[in-house]
Amino acid sequence: MSFSKSKEGQVLSNPLVQVNPIMVQTLGVCSALAVTAELKPSLVMSLSLTAVLTCSNVIISLIRNFIPNKIRIIVFMVVISTLVALADQVLKAYVFEVSKQLSVFVGLIITNCIVMGRAEAFATTNTPKMALLDGLGNGAGYSLVLCVCGAFREVLGAGTIWGAKLPGIDSMYAAGYVNNGLMVLAPGAFFLIGLFIWVSNTLYRSSK
Amino acid sequence: MDIVGLISIALTSIFISNILLAKFLGMCSFLECAKTVKTANGLGLAVVFVLTLTAPLNWLIFNHLLKEDALTWIPGVEAGSVSLEFLQFLTFIAVIASSVQIVEMALEKFSPALYSALGIFLPLITVNCAILGVSLFMIEEDYNLLETVVFAFSSGIGWWLAIMGLAAINKKMMYSHVPEALKGLGMTFITTGLMAMAFMCFAGIEL
């Protein structure tokens, strides 16, 4: 189920579904669960992670021939945590409310295994151009899961989308509909990701 | 220093807001390493150990070097008003990475038995987000040093409890008929969801 034939296209599009960082590579699961109670923080988190991931991939790919193999992990860490500190400052300056809501999870992008994993597995052995595409692709795959998950949990758990009430929800309340409180709590996130993996496995395997 | 407050912090971080099941920290190694009870136990103990070591260390560094007004002990007009808080990510991760390295070397030299039990798990722990997460949470919650020690230790115990639980459940699961497409990661998520639900029963408890 490839969307594109060229190598560049594949690097960009494969992580969307086929090798999705969250559902298939099991990378970056923590933040995917923690910030998705509503759509808005999910989107902000997705954008921050994609930005950090793309930049770190490009930077590490640029300096890949100068990094001594033994201390590469520490070099990655320094690059990534500098970028994360930048992202954190930007978020605090422009979207303070959301950055409060995300609390420590922006900082935890440092130990988000997607960034480390892609640096180790891809950026160290590829050109900056490919690393850029890989960063964007994996960021998009991560964002896809996060935003779908955030939208589901907000609609089912709070009856709102992007903070606004769903049209017609009041008449449903009047008819006896109750918000599913479990969706905004921790177990809802686990179940939802589990179901996503189930669906994507079923689709992917049947199309092979 | 009231003892009830400390007990409350301990119980909260073990049961009510378990670091793994309620705050979602340390998921990656949790999902990968909960294959056998023995591995889970080793990794869990290593997390408790490293957490109890690094969180107080980070607390000291944050409160005496990085925090706003922390540098007043340096003579000079400007030093007191400098806030280095933006350096906290870089500093914390450096402290964690280097103390894990030191612990690994010290264990290898002085206690080979413990090293062979924990050794292979220690490098994994540097990138375990539970470790960095606890350091960031203690800043967020504004704990003092003693509270930080209790918080870090009991968060570690909570993580150990959760990974042991999942490993034991996974072992039983070998005899169940799980749908083909749900096998592996998918089922682990559903199981963890059920565990999180069970832990939610503690939520009403207050001290």
Side-chain angles (χ1 to χ4, degrees), chain B residues 148-159:
Chain B
T148 301
V149 175
V150 173
F151 174 64
F153 179 73
S154 43
S155 291
I157 295 286
W159 201 88

Side-chain angles (χ1 to χ4, degrees), chain A residues 23 29-30 33-34 77 81 89 103-105 107-108 110-111 113 185-187 190-191 197-198 201-202 205, chain B residues 21 23-25 27-28 31-32 86 89-90 93 127 129 133 136 140 180-182 185 189-190 192-193 197 200:
Chain A
M23 297 191 288
V29 181
C30 323
L33 295 163
M77 284 270 183
S81 33
Q89 299 286 318
S103 77
V104 302
F105 289 97
L108 287 174
I110 300 172
T111 49
C113 355
L185 294 171
F190 285 115
F191 291 140
I197 293 170
W198 192 2
N201 273 353
T202 313
R205 279 181 197 170
Chain B
L21 298 169
K23 290 179 183 158
F24 311 107
L25 295 178
M27 286 299 297
C28 305
L31 296 172
E32 291 300 319
F86 68 95
F89 298 143
L90 203 59
I93 201 74
V127 287
C129 39
L136 294 175
E140 191 120 307
E180 192 57 39
L182 195 58
L185 192 57
F189 269 110
I190 307 277
T192 319
M197 254 170 107
M200 271 172 59

Side-chain angles (χ1 to χ4, degrees), chain A residues 173-205:
Chain A
Y173 284 140
Y177 172 77
V178 183
N179 283 331
N180 183 356
L182 191 66
M183 274 332 250
V184 290
L185 294 171
F190 285 115
F191 291 140
L192 207 57
I193 299 263
L195 294 178
F196 274 179
I197 293 170
W198 192 2
V199 170
S200 89
N201 273 353
T202 313
L203 292 177
Y204 176 50
R205 279 181 197 170

